[in-house]
Amino acid sequence: MDISGLPVELWRLILSYLHLPDLGRCSMVCRAWYELILSLDNTRWRQLCLGCIECRHPNWPNQPDVEPQSWREAFKQHYLASKTWSKNTQDLESSNCFYLFRRKKDRRVLCVGPGYEFENLRVALAAANPYDRIVLLPGVYEEQSEIVLKVPVEIVGQGKLGDVALLVSVDQHCQTTRLCNVVFMPAWFTPVVYKTTSGHVQFDNCNFENGQLQIHAPGTCQVKFCTFNQCSINFHSVALCVLENCEFIGSENASVTVEGSPTSDRNWACKHLTMLAKSRSVLLQAPDSSPCSRSKHEDWGDSPVGNIRTCEIVVGGDHSNLPPALRTQPALEQTCEKEAELNGNLYTAKEGEAMTLDTDSSDSELSTGSENEGDDQSMYKLSYQAHSLSHMLTKVIYSRPQTNGLNALQNDFELKSLQQELQRDKEAQSLANSLQGCLIRRCLFRDGKGGVFVCSQGQAKMEGSIFRDLTYAVRCIQSSKVVMLKNDIHHCKASGIFLRLSAGGLIADNNIHSNCEAGLDIRKGANPLILCNKIHSGLRSGIVVLGNGKGIIRSNQIYGNKEAGIYILYNGNPIVSGNHIFQGLAAGIAVNENGRGQIIENVIRENQWGGADIRRGGDPVLRNNLICCGYSDGVVVGERGKGLIEGNTIYGNKGCGVWIMASSLPHITNNQIGHNSIYGVAVFCRKDDANDYLANQGGNESFNDEGEAAIWENDLDSEDERFASRRLISVALVESNSINHNGAAGLYIKSSEALNIIANAIHANQDSGVTVFQSTQLTRIANNSISCNSLGGILVETECRVELRGNGIYDNSSHGIACKGDGVIVENDIIGNLGCGLKLLQTADMKVTKNRIQALQDYGILILDQTKGLVQDNLIYQGKSKKTILQQVSNAEDCIVQNNKLLTFKRKSDIAWTLENPPARPHIEVTARGVSRATNSQRVTTMTTRIAARVDGGCHNNGSIFCTIL
């Protein structure tokens, strides 16, 4: 019949009354009829699928309210399930056609039940031929001894699921068996419900109550649409077994145990299972088709983080679309504009004139220029823009980044998708595609102790499953391997995933949240690959790595955890790169108790405490990260902290940029530290409430897991690698950083130990450039550029020991150097400051030699009170006020002033004033290492002035901001 003879709607109504064989015949008429039959997907095919007693909803148990992509395809899979178990090709010795013909001819249906030919299952099995179908009528069938299956059969319960119950213990000795629509319960004499040691068994739409299933290699199994209530499955060295769309409830131990290395002895079903697994891989699905995209427990209303906020990197243009909390203060933006203008107005004058500066421009009104300044004063100024650190000021502070550079910078910090990670990492790709051991797909584990336990070199793969309300979801130990893709793991009473004893594998694209302990717990040599997961809203840390644990942690979103996003301790040594770690209620990354690790190119933002917190022997490499917009300090190096902190952008934090305790030994180099609300870098001698901090930071994590002794082995083999690419230091070192536009002093020192401050650009901070408040040991400040700060360049308080050598101290709004302590001031350029060039007062005892000094409006050198020391061989440039040296001391014999040279300004001179022989300080030799640092810094410099953030003012006096929080 021509299909165009009736409306399509009427054809669909007629065809909805046909049975399955008739639908098949109609679909073979022609293409038009075939497409018409396909159009019945949401009507007749849905009705057939849900009306089959052997079928469950295709998306059961995780999303039974979500329509499948095709009801026809789902029904087809259920229909073929009764066929695939018998595809045994191992016995095909004559011909395929003969084998299939014989099986169809010999197959019978045996009915078991009261009033039928067979009263119990044992009798029916004794009479069955290979591949017969045994139908159990509704009732309870109990066997008093073990049943041995010697011939392949199909056992199906009649009626609804639950109408047929078997109290048996079955030992399979045949090649294949299928069981469907039956409730299994253990017999009185053993908890083992079903066991096979060689053959393949297929369970469809069954319930298992309070028992065990044991599958031993080379046996295999396929379990689909089954419920396990206080029941477990044990796999021993299996080559490949598949669990699909199963529900595990109320287990007293692990619901699924995978033990032993997969055997190489494979039975006939392995090929079939492999094809099945590959055809339904979650890697082939659309991103939103994962069953763990959103669970009913994940309303996020009870999440500690609430709604997810974002930290935007502004490319340019209008900032008005940003949230108020992320907008840059207008004054901050004006500062950048003035800086650009200032830099543009510096020029070399005509021959015979001094270097001039546009008096209407300034750097945040911090330079010597002012609107009331006359032309005469500008004539006195010396050029200092060519010193060896000027490139740090030019690139970081003044320049407007080009579009291409900003796009490249954004791409550097953009999260990579799982597909991108798999394309670039062949090992991850191999793991994702591997099929060995046990495959668990679209299953639900809930309300029990454990989900999956993998041990003794076992292998398991979990895809698209949900683990919730368990003690733990997955535990992998003893050199075992686990592959986890697109699972949902939440509300576990302990950690979500445990890896121990050299375990490994791939954990990718999972949603791990709301667990009572860590989302992932890695220790004792475990070395997994952790990619592209969401790890959030945990009641403790997101990821914990300890006890020589390793791992590669890459491209994850880690946010909203109550403690550290990543916590590394006890010789934990992971590689953490390319992650976004944000909105945590404690530190972003905490490294403690001799923890190590390489922390590279992460975005660490908006955390309540330090972006990175390093304490108690922690010794990581923290390189090229963006640490911004935190509610406390950017980087905290606490008691006995170590580490290389290099090439990071530390921006817009409400505490200090870097907070250092004097008992620590960090190497802080080549960082951009700007627009933080308090100090740029602060060094404190006071041992703050570190124990209280750690108690809240993750220090009381339940590390003694399930009776394990808290004994941490020393990883001696890797000790030589720790410092292979690092320079060993014996004194805390702050070098080659750009420290600018911070809300208090650029560098604040209250230390009881030696400290080296070398080759930093300290610019435009809202207090002094460097404040040495306490320094019982020598603080060495050498070869720094200290310019345009709101107060003085360097302030040294009473009883402090300092060495100031080779610095350039320019255009600060108060004195260049104000000193009340002891030490030496040698070969510095102190030029263009609004106050005195050098002010010695109270009990200062300084040796001041070979400096070049100019104060435009005050004395070049001012010596007061009980000052002692030697002021000798200095070159003093005359300023507008023509004040040179003033000495008012109580005992002139204790303060020797001699052989200082005054250079007066001559308006008609043909020679302009310049700093030459040597040129403007600081002087830094460019080494290979220095070139490398400059290259790294160039990549992160443009970020400093372009990230939108509110920078609030206010300072604390003597500690990290977290003390105030506590």
Side-chain angles (χ1 to χ4, degrees), residues 665-804:
L665 196 65
H667 183 187
I668 301 171
T669 178
N670 199 41
N671 301 282
Q672 305 294 327
I673 306 171
H675 299 285
N676 300 286
S677 293
I678 311 182
Y679 308 111
V681 178
V683 183
F684 291 102
C685 63
R686 185 172 66 86
K687 295 182 178 178
D688 67 328
D689 301 327
N691 292 328
D692 294 339
Y693 179 81
L694 293 171
N696 292 278
Q697 182 71 6
N700 55 351
E701 187 93 44
S702 180
F703 296 126
N704 198 13
D705 167 56
E706 293 194 8
E708 293 179 357
I711 300 174
W712 313 110
E713 308 88 352
N714 291 322
D715 192 2
L716 299 178
D717 295 338
S718 61
E719 287 297 317
D720 294 338
E721 301 174 4
R722 293 178 61 180
F723 305 106
S725 60
R726 293 170 55 177
R727 176 163 47 134
L728 293 177
I729 60 172
S730 57
V731 175
L733 176 60
V734 180
E735 66 167 347
S736 302
N737 303 283
S738 176
I739 305 171
N740 62 84
H741 294 91
N742 296 286
L747 207 156
Y748 182 89
I749 301 166
K750 186 179 178 183
S751 175
S752 58
E753 296 180 9
L755 177 67
N756 289 336
I757 312 296
I758 310 295
N760 301 280
I762 303 171
H763 179 83
N765 298 285
Q766 299 299 312
D767 203 291
S768 299
V770 179
T771 298
V772 185
F773 187 83
Q774 177 180 328
S775 177
T776 56
Q777 300 295 322
L778 180 65
T779 295
R780 184 169 179 245
I781 303 173
N783 297 321
N784 301 280
S785 172
I786 304 170
S787 60
C788 298
N789 296 285
S790 289
L791 294 181
I794 299 177
L795 171 63
V796 181
E797 289 291 344
T798 307
E799 298 181 355
C800 293
R801 295 183 57 205
V802 296
E803 177 185 342
L804 308 180

Side-chain angles (χ1 to χ4, degrees), residues 327-344:
R327 291 178 191 162
T328 306
Q329 291 182 353
L332 188 61
E333 195 167 319
Q334 293 172 7
T335 294
C336 299
E337 294 173 357
K338 288 183 178 181
E339 288 165 346
E341 190 177 354
L342 170 65
N343 191 58

Side-chain angles (χ1 to χ4, degrees), residues 484 487-490 496-497 507 510-515 518-520 530 533-538 542 561:
M484 302 186 64
N487 301 284
D488 196 351
I489 300 168
H490 61 95
I497 302 173
I507 300 171
N510 302 283
N511 188 15
I512 305 171
H513 66 95
S514 307
N515 298 291
L520 285 91
I530 301 170
N533 301 280
K534 289 184 179 180
I535 305 170
H536 62 98
S537 309
N561 297 287

Side-chain angles (χ1 to χ4, degrees), residues 161-432:
L161 179 61
D163 291 347
V164 178
L166 278 176
L167 282 72
V168 294
S169 176
V170 180
D171 188 358
Q172 177 182 336
H173 288 179
C174 57
Q175 293 172 341
T176 183
T177 299
R178 177 177 184 249
L179 300 104
C180 178
N181 206 45
V182 177
V183 176
F184 287 91
M185 291 182 284
W188 62 271
F189 53 87
T190 178
V192 178
V193 173
Y194 200 96
K195 178 174 64 175
T196 180
T197 57
S198 60
H200 172 70
V201 59
Q202 179 177 325
F203 294 98
D204 293 314
N205 195 39
C206 294
N207 283 3
F208 297 88
E209 305 283 344
N210 302 299
Q212 296 179 11
L213 276 70
Q214 295 183 358
I215 312 297
H216 295 259
T220 57
C221 77
Q222 181 182 4
V223 186
K224 299 186 300 179
F225 297 96
C226 294
T227 298
F228 294 81
N229 187 7
Q230 296 183 4
C231 186
S232 62
I233 308 180
N234 298 323
F235 297 100
H236 300 271
S237 301
V238 294
L240 181 60
C241 289
V242 178
L243 306 179
E244 292 184 299
N245 296 89
C246 294
E247 182 179 26
F248 296 84
I249 310 169
S251 62
E252 295 182 356
N253 291 298
S255 297
V256 178
T257 299
V258 183
E259 182 179 2
S261 178
T263 180
S264 58
D265 186 9
R266 294 170 173 258
N267 67 9
W268 70 270
C270 287
K271 182 178 180 180
H272 159 65
L273 294 176
T274 300
M275 294 176 61
L276 179 70
K278 289 182 178 180
S279 65
R280 302 182 189 177
S281 173
V282 296
L283 294 176
L284 303 177
Q285 299 176 4
D288 57 351
S289 64
S290 172
C292 64
S293 58
R294 183 77 180 259
S295 71
K296 64 181 181 180
H297 279 255
E298 191 185 352
D299 293 333
W300 291 2
D302 56 351
S303 169
V305 69
N307 294 326
I308 302 177
R309 302 183 299 277
T310 59
C311 176
E312 299 189 26
I313 298 178
V314 181
V315 178
D318 187 11
H319 292 194
S320 60
N321 294 328
L322 289 176
L326 298 180
R327 291 178 191 162
T328 306
Q329 291 182 353
L332 188 61
E333 195 167 319
Q334 293 172 7
T335 294
C336 299
E337 294 173 357
K338 288 183 178 181
E339 288 165 346
E341 190 177 354
L342 170 65
N343 191 58
N345 288 325
L346 287 170
Y347 65 96
T348 305
K350 295 180 181 179
E351 187 174 354
E353 296 180 355
M355 181 69 68
T356 61
L357 180 68
D358 189 336
T359 56
D360 291 333
S361 301
S362 65
D363 192 318
S364 300
E365 302 178 358
L366 301 178
S367 69
T368 56
S370 68
E371 294 181 0
N372 299 324
E373 185 178 19
D375 294 337
D376 290 344
Q377 180 163 313
S378 64
M379 299 291 294
Y380 286 89
K381 293 187 177 179
L382 287 79
S383 170
Y384 58 84
Q385 297 298 315
H387 62 74
S388 59
L389 296 182
S390 59
H391 68 280
M392 297 176 68
L393 298 177
T394 301
K395 292 178 181 178
V396 177
I397 303 301
Y398 299 121
S399 67
R400 295 296 180 184
Q402 300 298 318
T403 302
N404 293 339
L406 270 176
N407 289 339
L409 182 64
Q410 286 182 301
N411 291 335
D412 286 343
F413 286 100
E414 191 174 301
L415 274 175
K416 290 181 172 59
S417 68
L418 178 59
Q419 292 301 327
Q420 291 172 322
E421 286 288 355
L422 295 180
Q423 287 175 3
R424 75 169 185 166
D425 191 331
K426 298 303 180 183
E427 179 186 358
Q429 189 177 101
S430 175
L431 286 170

Side-chain angles (χ1 to χ4, degrees), residues 354-661:
M355 181 69 68
T356 61
L357 180 68
D358 189 336
T359 56
D360 291 333
S361 301
S362 65
D363 192 318
S364 300
E365 302 178 358
L366 301 178
S367 69
T368 56
S370 68
E371 294 181 0
N372 299 324
E373 185 178 19
D375 294 337
D376 290 344
Q377 180 163 313
S378 64
M379 299 291 294
Y380 286 89
K381 293 187 177 179
L382 287 79
S383 170
Y384 58 84
Q385 297 298 315
H387 62 74
S388 59
L389 296 182
S390 59
H391 68 280
M392 297 176 68
L393 298 177
T394 301
K395 292 178 181 178
V396 177
I397 303 301
Y398 299 121
S399 67
R400 295 296 180 184
Q402 300 298 318
T403 302
N404 293 339
L406 270 176
N407 289 339
L409 182 64
Q410 286 182 301
N411 291 335
D412 286 343
F413 286 100
E414 191 174 301
L415 274 175
K416 290 181 172 59
S417 68
L418 178 59
Q419 292 301 327
Q420 291 172 322
E421 286 288 355
L422 295 180
Q423 287 175 3
R424 75 169 185 166
D425 191 331
K426 298 303 180 183
E427 179 186 358
Q429 189 177 101
S430 175
L431 286 170
N433 294 323
S434 64
L435 285 173
Q436 288 194 86
C438 179
L439 172 61
I440 301 170
R441 180 178 290 160
R442 294 187 297 274
C443 293
L444 172 61
F445 297 79
R446 64 180 178 90
D447 303 313
K449 181 176 181 180
V452 179
F453 179 48
V454 189
C455 61
S456 301
Q457 302 181 3
Q459 295 189 27
K461 185 174 185 178
M462 285 146 272
E463 296 181 345
S465 297
I466 294 177
F467 300 81
R468 63 177 173 86
D469 298 306
L470 305 164
T471 300
Y472 66 88
V474 177
R475 185 177 177 89
C476 183
I477 65 171
Q478 296 168 341
S479 302
S480 299
K481 186 179 297 183
V482 62
V483 177
M484 302 186 64
L485 302 174
K486 298 180 182 294
N487 301 284
D488 196 351
I489 300 168
H490 61 95
H491 292 90
C492 293
K493 298 177 180 62
S495 296
I497 302 173
F498 290 87
L499 295 108
R500 303 281 188 278
L501 300 172
S502 302
L506 173 65
I507 300 171
D509 208 9
N510 302 283
N511 188 15
I512 305 171
H513 66 95
S514 307
N515 298 291
C516 293
E517 298 288 343
L520 285 91
D521 188 308
I522 304 166
R523 66 180 81 182
K524 293 187 177 179
N527 190 19
L529 184 57
I530 301 170
L531 304 178
C532 305
N533 301 280
K534 289 184 179 180
I535 305 170
H536 62 98
S537 309
L539 301 184
R540 302 298 294 271
S541 299
I543 300 177
V544 171
V545 186
L546 68 156
N548 292 320
K550 300 178 183 177
I552 297 174
I553 303 170
R554 198 165 65 220
S555 298
N556 301 279
Q557 294 185 60
I558 304 171
Y559 60 93
N561 297 287
K562 190 174 182 181
E563 295 179 356
I566 298 177
Y567 196 15
I568 305 169
L569 67 167
Y570 295 120
N571 290 323
N573 191 20
I575 298 174
V576 182
S577 66
N579 303 281
H580 285 197
I581 304 169
F582 59 99
Q583 296 178 18
L585 302 184
I589 295 180
V591 186
N592 208 327
E593 303 292 351
N594 300 313
R596 289 176 278 157
Q598 299 182 50
I599 303 164
I600 303 170
E601 294 184 351
N602 303 280
V603 176
I604 305 171
R605 60 178 171 85
E606 299 178 74
N607 295 285
Q608 291 290 337
W609 291 3
D613 189 280
I614 305 166
R615 293 171 182 266
R616 294 186 178 177
D619 190 13
V621 174
L622 189 70
R623 179 179 289 132
N624 295 344
N625 301 280
L626 169 58
I627 304 173
C628 66
C629 306
Y631 295 98
S632 182
D633 308 308
V635 176
V636 175
V637 185
E639 180 183 1
R640 294 188 289 110
K642 302 177 185 178
L644 173 63
I645 301 168
E646 179 180 21
N648 304 282
T649 295
I650 304 170
Y651 178 91
N653 299 285
K654 291 191 176 181
C656 305
V658 180
W659 183 88
I660 306 170
M661 184 177 287

